[in-house]
Amino acid sequence: QVQLVESGGGVVQPGRSLRLSCAASGFMFSSYGMHWVRQAPGKGLEWVAVIIYDGSNKYYADSVKGRFTISRDNSNYTLYLQMSSLRPEDTAVYYCAKGNSGYHLGWFDPWGQGTLVTVSS
Amino acid sequence: EIVLTQSPGTLSLSPGERAIFSCRASQSVSTSYLAWYQQKPGQAPRLLIYGASNRATGIPDRFSGSGSGTDFTLTISRLEPEDFAVYYCQQYGSSRMTFGQGTRLEIK
């Protein structure tokens, strides 16, 4: 079955960088758009970024544009989120999620279990 | 950016009752590109409905979605104990996908 497993979260100081990974299995990874969605503690869901099936197009939320970079390695079934210039407001559980098509628009199904990023000095 | 407003913020009902969730968009959602998710404490969200009215695989038929344009509804016909959770709508008709703020369904 489809499985998504995030890793790389932790505690990081403001202004520093962190890279999240999402290991995918159970489907043809190279055929689907992939997303990152985050959820601050006790808050709602916020879409962060999407990368289409071949990595040629990427879209970002305004809140992370210019600081975060989404990428993928189709040969290793892995999605990444490189986060730089981190701010306390980036503190959240970060989920990766599979899109329903190869492109950027779509619903998210399934989701990984999430990885917690805490930005604090 | 399309802003989604969900109401009510909290819904207090008993098992067996009907639950109705509203999601209103600040502008028309193209081609009914709207989804609903359920999230339980400590868990990732789960897809319930896509395309405004299509149930995802494995979702019981007591869940149904309707609406178009700017007004969408999720209905749970008869609440089961496992349905008490937070529900989110999401639009995917524009490159900047957005979620509503969520509706908490609690046991009365």
Side-chain angles (χ1 to χ4, degrees):
Chain A
Q1 76 280 20
V2 176
Q3 193 169 14
L4 300 169
V5 179
E6 302 93 337
S7 60
V11 180
V12 61
Q13 293 180 327
R16 303 298 291 263
S17 299
L18 198 65
R19 188 177 82 159
L20 306 182
S21 300
C22 171
S25 60
F27 67 103
M28 187 64 69
F29 182 72
S30 59
S31 295
Y32 289 90
M34 294 294 297
H35 300 257
W36 288 100
V37 179
R38 68 184 180 182
Q39 185 170 36
K43 303 297 184 182
L45 302 168
E46 180 187 17
W47 172 79
V48 173
V50 60
I51 184 169
I52 71 167
Y53 70 102
D54 63 356
S56 61
N57 277 314
K58 309 168 187 180
Y59 299 85
Y60 299 91
D62 288 346
S63 57
V64 306
K65 199 168 187 178
R67 300 188 300 121
F68 289 12
T69 301
I70 189 171
S71 62
R72 64 191 298 159
D73 180 347
N74 284 347
S75 61
N76 286 305
Y77 276 52
T78 305
L79 175 72
Y80 300 102
L81 186 67
Q82 178 68 46
M83 305 184 293
S84 60
S85 302
L86 282 161
R87 306 166 179 167
E89 56 264 35
D90 295 318
T91 294
V93 173
Y94 285 74
Y95 297 100
C96 69
K98 173 181 166 289
N100 67 291
S101 78
Y103 296 93
H104 59 294
L105 297 181
W107 59 87
F108 311 140
D109 182 43
W111 302 52
Q113 87 289 350
T115 187
L116 176 61
V117 173
T118 303
V119 184
S120 173
S121 53
Chain B
E1 171 179 298
I2 298 177
V3 176
L4 299 179
T5 303
Q6 292 187 241
S7 61
T10 301
L11 200 50
S12 299
L13 294 169
S14 301
E17 293 192 293
R18 170 181 291 198
I20 300 175
F21 304 82
S22 173
C23 177
R24 179 160 290 176
S26 60
Q27 57 188 279
S28 184
V29 176
S30 63
T31 327
S32 295
Y33 282 172
L34 188 110
W36 289 93
Y37 300 86
Q38 177 194 67
Q39 187 178 34
K40 297 180 180 179
Q43 296 185 17
R46 177 175 72 144
L47 175 71
L48 299 174
I49 301 286
Y50 63 91
S53 61
N54 301 288
R55 269 189 304 276
T57 302
I59 301 302
D61 61 7
R62 65 179 181 273
F63 290 89
S64 63
S66 63
S68 64
T70 61
D71 289 300
F72 298 88
T73 300
L74 172 70
T75 300
I76 309 175
S77 59
R78 284 182 315 278
L79 287 167
E80 297 287 343
E82 62 267 28
D83 297 337
F84 292 88
V86 179
Y87 291 82
Y88 294 94
C89 58
Q90 174 230 345
Q91 66 80 21
Y92 49 94
S94 71
S95 296
R96 293 175 183 175
M97 284 161 274
T98 51
F99 289 91
Q101 82 280 17
T103 292
R104 180 177 304 277
L105 175 61
E106 64 177 27
I107 299 177
K108 188 172 182 180

